[in-house]
Amino acid sequence: DVQLVESGGGSVETGGFLRLSCAATGFTISTAGSAWYRQRPGQEREGVAALGRDGTPTYAKFVKGRFTISTDSAKNILYLQMNDQNPEDTGMYTCAGDYVGVWSEFDSDFLNRGQGTQVTVS
């Protein structure tokens, strides 16, 4: 059974940090191609960070060096370390993994998506 389950969201103050986790079952997320997205209040979903099958990361411009996407192959977990957060980072964060077709970072045709974890920065 293929599944992605996010965790690690919560409430933090400006300048704080969180580490989001995306636990995968049914496929190996460290070699599948993956990404984190977020949907801010009243906004459409946007890509935050992506990780190609070759391990190359891509970050949205608004990240500005604050976030890091990574995987733990032993635990089959995708992470998003978020530092120096600000209120603009508030939103629902979801992960996606494994894709078909051509790798297109945030526009890739991902096969699996999680339900999300809420992040609130005040």
Side-chain angles (χ1 to χ4, degrees), residues 1-120:
D1 190 25
V2 177
Q3 192 175 21
L4 292 173
V5 179
E6 300 93 337
S7 61
S11 298
V12 294
E13 294 184 348
T14 297
F17 62 91
L18 285 172
R19 188 178 75 164
L20 306 184
S21 298
C22 172
T25 54
F27 70 103
T28 303
I29 198 164
S30 61
T31 58
S34 57
W36 284 98
Y37 296 84
R38 72 183 185 186
Q39 186 165 15
R40 296 184 289 165
Q43 304 293 318
E44 294 193 351
R45 186 179 68 192
E46 59 186 350
V48 177
L51 193 64
R53 287 174 175 164
D54 63 354
T56 300
T58 301
Y59 297 98
K61 290 182 179 179
F62 61 77
V63 169
K64 297 180 182 179
R66 300 179 297 132
F67 299 173
T68 302
I69 187 171
S70 64
T71 61
D72 183 324
S73 57
K75 297 180 179 178
N76 207 23
I77 294 177
L78 174 73
Y79 294 108
L80 183 67
Q81 177 70 42
M82 303 189 293
N83 299 328
D84 191 22
Q85 293 189 266
N86 59 65
E88 291 292 302
D89 295 324
T90 294
M92 179 67 73
Y93 285 70
T94 58
C95 62
D98 204 7
Y99 65 94
V100 293
V102 177
W103 172 245
S104 303
E105 300 165 347
F106 304 128
D107 295 325
S108 299
D109 188 6
F110 284 105
L111 296 172
N112 310 297
R113 295 182 182 271
Q115 293 299 307
T117 186
Q118 178 67 36
V119 172
T120 302

